[in-house]
Amino acid sequence: MSYQVLARKWRPSRFQEMVGQEHVLKALVNALDDNRLHHAYLFTGTRGVGKTSIARLFAKSLNCETGISSQPCGACSACREIAEGRFVDLIEVDAASRTKVEDTRELLENVQYAPTHGRFKVYLIDEVHMLSTHSFNALLKTLEEPPPHVKFLLATTDPQKLPVTILSRCLQFNLKNLVPERIVGHLTHVLTEEQISFEELALWMLARAADGSMRDALSLTDQAIAFGAGQVIEADVRAMLGTIDQHLVFRIIEALASGDAAALLQTVAEVSEYSPDFSALLGDLLTVLHRLAICQTLPEGIDNSLGDEQRVRSLAAMLTAEDVQLYYQIGLNGRRDLPYVPDAREGLEMVLLRMLAFRPADAVPRPTSLKQHADPSVTPAAPAAAQPVAPTTAADVPPAAPDVSAEEPAPVKKPQAEPPVADDPPPWDTEPSVDYEDYQPAEMPAASDVSSAQSHNQPAETAVAQPHPVAPSVARQPVAEAIVTPQNTPPALVEPESFEPVPAPTDVISAAADGAPMTLAGLTTSSWVLLHPQLKLTGMTESLAGHLSLEQASNTELVFHYTPNQAAMLNETQQQRIISHLHDYFGEPVRVEFIQAAQQQETPAQHQQRLREARQLQALNALREDPVVQRIQQVFDAQINLASVTPIDPVK
């Protein structure tokens, strides 16, 4: 006897042998047992989910010689003939090959005749959506009121193409795709009965490749048996399907969780040996990340539908929920851009490195005041107690208290040195109204100073929305108020008042000595901020070094601290680059150690930010003290847009 494929050999012979589709089977079984039979049934669903099998079982139940029942005997002539496909009263029609209206009319001509052998004449029309419009019209009347001995069983994979007039005349049953767990369970039963050795992971791969179709799963199993010479082995199935080992996907996520860039790229190199579809690989990665997110949010919501429940739970404990969400978003955007990269592997590596480089950042410790670090002998507060300085807009600067006790403008503080004035100065105090058309800047006192001040005062429409942030220690000083208002609305005017300038920190002046060479013996923890720009570091290495704090310094050893946010990028390669530049600068070897711990000393990045804030404040002070600016405010009721004030020589 010739070999019979598994999909045909294991076609169910009873409703109880069907895998899945319980919602359909329950309705049919009850209808058969209660003898409440409709004349037309429509079964819909994708390929291989059991549409034709259920229709044949239904036809067998209708024509079994023992009577109409949901449990046909399977031994009578009707049952055997239907199982073998030679029952004369079961007319199976392939609508894809008989689409013409003439074929439908020929079919319906025999409807009026009684069945030859069975109890009912059953018309099983497969892929009914392929019939032409005229064929549907010819079928309508017969489908609505057929003879009592006729039953119509329609099957289709695309019910949207059926006319609503056909749908309304049938009982419709939607068959669902089978989950991988159900397919694996059935394959295990089949291979056990067939006495074929198998590996469970191989069955999971076949179940996922079947995509919800039991027929496809059985066909792939047949192919795997032939490929594996009588056995179903994971390695053979993987080679047959051309898929990537799911373990490699988990290894990629494990490398991301541990921040191991070397292991990450090594895994990608192993994956590349299989010449995979990198977009599909990224899709598998997103699927695992989705399962991780579900496991973290609702642990009982995770299932073993992909055979990886234990590993998913383990990875979910290694990653934070924020990391998983960020990885998923980066992977989703990276998959969208993958068609545009020069090389698919290069695109995948960049997506993974992006996941490694960016993480949800914690609050970065900042110095609590400017004066705290002006004196190197003062030890800065611990990072846990430090409060980061939030960026402020001009509207957030505390307004100066206006003087409402007098009707006349407040007296202006006399400057230490009176600027030169022209021979005929304009009558500033005698005439508040000025003709702007006749006014000439050359007639104003210190015209050069006025133009210099105006060169840094842009119009309100082009003002920068976010000025430089001001440190807490200087934010309490009286500063002119400026309010950012909607377009075409004049900003609030700045009232002239007495003003006490804030002296610049001593290390603002000492910044000029950055270029002075240093020795290893003279290096202290506080001088690291001046040594950093002299090392000639570039790119990411320079940025990483700028966020290190030097906690211990001696003739033989330097100890740097870094934060957890830097751990992913401050790998061994970056550390060696920093050490190499230190050796080259001092001309002698020195032991350098990098420790992830709290930063007690100021980093070069914090130092530069503090200097920028101080220079910004100095620029504001200089503008406020300028006598020309003060007189312009008095006479012209002028305003100062603080958002546009920039130091002439800002700290780089």
Side-chain angles (χ1 to χ4, degrees):
M1 184 177 179
S2 61
Y3 175 74
Q4 191 174 20
V5 298
L6 295 178
R8 294 184 59 188
K9 182 177 181 180
W10 288 92
R11 186 188 293 272
S13 59
R14 296 184 302 165
F15 286 119
Q16 290 76 11
E17 296 177 2
M18 285 289 301
V19 179
Q21 318 304 346
E22 289 82 2
H23 63 294
V24 175
L25 299 178
K26 182 177 181 180
L28 296 180
V29 168
N30 291 338
L32 289 168
D33 291 340
D34 298 339
N35 200 16
R36 299 179 62 89
L37 301 175
H38 200 270
H39 58 270
Y41 295 84
L42 174 63
F43 302 102
T44 66
T46 58
R47 76 281 177 273
V49 294
K51 299 184 298 297
T52 305
S53 296
I54 290 179
R56 289 178 178 174
L57 289 177
F58 193 70
K60 185 185 295 186
S61 299
L62 292 174
N63 289 290
C64 180
E65 295 178 359
T66 60
I68 300 176
S69 171
S70 61
Q71 297 183 357
C73 66
C76 65
S77 60
C79 290
R80 287 187 284 104
E81 290 175 4
I82 291 176
E84 296 170 2
R86 54 186 181 85
F87 188 63
V88 66
D89 290 322
L90 175 60
I91 300 96
E92 295 193 28
V93 179
D94 180 15
S97 60
R98 303 186 65 176
T99 60
K100 297 181 180 180
V101 65
E102 292 82 5
D103 298 327
T104 304
R105 288 173 179 169
E106 179 183 351
L107 187 68
L108 297 178
E109 287 178 357
N110 298 322
V111 169
Q112 56 184 330
Y113 299 111
T116 303
H117 179 60
R119 188 176 295 109
F120 293 96
K121 181 178 288 187
V122 180
Y123 286 88
L124 174 54
I125 305 178
D126 199 8
E127 298 299 338
V128 67
H129 67 275
M130 299 293 289
L131 292 178
S132 64
T133 304
H134 296 296
S135 297
F136 280 127
N137 293 334
L139 184 63
L140 282 179
K141 192 61 179 178
T142 304
L143 190 63
E144 183 177 11
E145 297 179 358
H149 60 268
V150 173
K151 302 293 182 184
F152 284 97
L153 305 180
L154 312 180
T156 179
T157 57
D158 196 357
Q160 289 81 6
K161 293 184 179 180
L162 292 180
V164 67
T165 51
I166 295 292
L167 296 175
S168 65
R169 288 167 167 81
C170 303
L171 292 184
Q172 185 172 349
F173 296 95
N174 299 314
L175 278 67
K176 302 176 182 178
N177 283 3
L178 298 175
V179 297
E181 287 179 316
R182 302 296 296 269
I183 296 178
V184 169
H186 187 62
L187 292 181
T188 301
H189 170 70
V190 170
L191 294 178
T192 302
E193 293 294 325
E194 294 286 335
Q195 298 182 355
I196 296 175
S197 61
F198 62 90
E199 293 180 355
E200 185 177 358
L201 288 179
L203 300 188
W204 279 104
M205 296 173 59
L206 293 172
R208 287 194 293 266
D211 195 20
S213 171
M214 183 61 74
R215 184 177 63 226
D216 288 3
L218 290 170
S219 298
L220 288 173
T221 303
D222 257 327
Q223 184 179 352
I225 294 172
F227 191 91
Q231 55 184 355
V232 181
I233 306 300
E234 178 190 0
D236 293 338
V237 173
R238 191 177 306 282
M240 180 189 77
L241 298 177
T243 57
I244 297 299
D245 190 348
Q246 193 73 0
H247 294 300
L248 295 176
V249 178
F250 282 101
R251 282 175 53 190
I252 289 175
I253 300 180
E254 289 171 354
L256 289 173
S258 61
D260 192 344
L264 185 67
L265 296 180
Q266 177 62 30
T267 306
V268 174
E270 294 181 23
V271 171
S272 301
E273 295 178 359
Y274 296 94
S275 300
D277 181 351
F278 288 98
S279 178
L281 175 59
L282 202 50
D284 293 341
L285 185 66
L286 292 175
T287 299
V288 176
L289 290 173
H290 167 256
R291 291 172 60 77
L292 291 179
I294 292 179
C295 184
Q296 291 175 337
T297 306
L298 189 66
E300 60 271 18
I302 194 67
D303 55 27
N304 198 35
S305 60
L306 298 179
D308 55 2
E309 179 180 358
Q310 293 302 323
R311 198 156 188 181
V312 167
R313 293 188 183 277
S314 176
L315 271 177
M318 296 174 58
L319 290 166
T320 65
E322 294 81 1
D323 283 335
V324 173
Q325 295 294 333
L326 183 61
Y327 292 165
Y328 191 91
Q329 189 64 33
I330 292 175
L332 201 62
N333 293 335
R335 194 182 188 197
R336 178 196 62 192
D337 298 336
L338 207 57
Y340 304 105
V341 299
D343 179 73
R345 174 180 172 179
E346 171 188 315
L348 175 66
E349 290 178 347
M350 285 302 298
V351 171
L352 297 177
L353 291 177
R354 200 173 303 148
M355 294 179 182
L356 198 63
F358 296 96
R359 300 186 63 188
D362 299 327
V364 180
R366 291 285 303 278
T368 56
S369 67
L370 289 177
K371 294 182 180 179
Q372 178 179 343
H373 295 288
D375 186 359
S377 64
V378 179
T379 303
Q387 296 295 331
V389 179
T392 60
T393 61
D396 296 327
V397 180
D403 185 4
V404 297
S405 61
E407 297 180 357
E408 297 296 328
V412 181
K413 180 180 177 181
K414 184 176 181 180
Q416 296 180 357
E418 188 72 17
V421 297
D423 294 336
D424 297 320
W428 298 98
D429 299 327
T430 58
E431 182 58 45
S433 177
V434 180
D435 188 351
Y436 292 96
E437 295 182 356
D438 298 335
Y439 172 72
Q440 297 296 331
E443 298 177 1
M444 293 180 58
S448 60
D449 295 339
V450 175
S451 60
S452 175
Q454 290 178 341
S455 65
H456 298 286
N457 193 2
Q458 302 173 358
E461 291 78 5
T462 60
V464 181
Q466 295 287 345
H468 294 284
V470 181
S473 62
V474 300
R476 296 188 295 271
Q477 300 296 335
V479 181
E481 180 183 8
I483 301 177
V484 179
T485 59
Q487 189 175 6
N488 300 328
T489 302
L493 301 181
V494 180
E495 297 293 339
E497 58 180 292
S498 60
F499 180 75
E500 187 68 25
V502 178
T506 56
D507 57 358
V508 174
I509 302 174
S510 67
D514 285 358
M518 297 184 182
T519 61
L520 186 58
L523 183 64
T524 64
T525 56
S526 59
S527 59
W528 162 240
V529 297
L530 302 180
L531 172 62
H532 170 261
Q534 300 184 39
L535 295 182
K536 308 302 181 183
L537 298 168
T538 59
M540 183 184 299
T541 308
E542 190 273 339
S543 177
L544 290 171
H547 288 80
L548 298 175
S549 65
L550 181 60
E551 304 294 335
Q552 298 179 28
S554 65
N555 294 342
T556 58
E557 183 180 25
L558 301 178
V559 178
F560 293 94
H561 283 191
Y562 62 92
T563 65
N565 295 330
Q566 297 175 263
M569 301 304 297
L570 191 63
N571 52 36
E572 184 177 354
T573 301
Q574 299 294 348
Q575 294 179 11
Q576 289 299 325
R577 290 177 181 173
I578 297 174
I579 295 174
S580 176
H581 280 75
L582 287 171
H583 289 176
D584 294 343
Y585 181 85
F586 292 117
E588 56 181 307
V590 57
R591 184 175 180 272
V592 181
E593 186 175 1
F594 299 87
I595 302 176
Q596 179 178 324
Q599 294 181 327
Q600 304 293 334
Q601 299 295 328
E602 187 181 32
T603 68
Q606 293 171 343
H607 177 75
Q608 292 297 319
Q609 178 64 21
R610 186 163 53 83
L611 295 185
R612 282 192 291 269
E613 293 168 355
R615 288 294 295 119
Q616 178 69 18
L617 182 61
Q618 283 184 334
L620 291 173
N621 292 350
L623 188 62
R624 287 295 312 277
E625 288 183 300
D626 191 292
V628 176
V629 174
Q630 293 176 354
R631 292 197 178 188
I632 291 176
Q633 289 176 323
Q634 282 186 351
V635 177
F636 296 104
D637 199 19
Q639 61 186 5
I640 297 177
N641 187 358
L642 297 184
S644 66
V645 177
T646 305
I648 297 177
D649 54 341
V651 177
K652 301 295 185 181

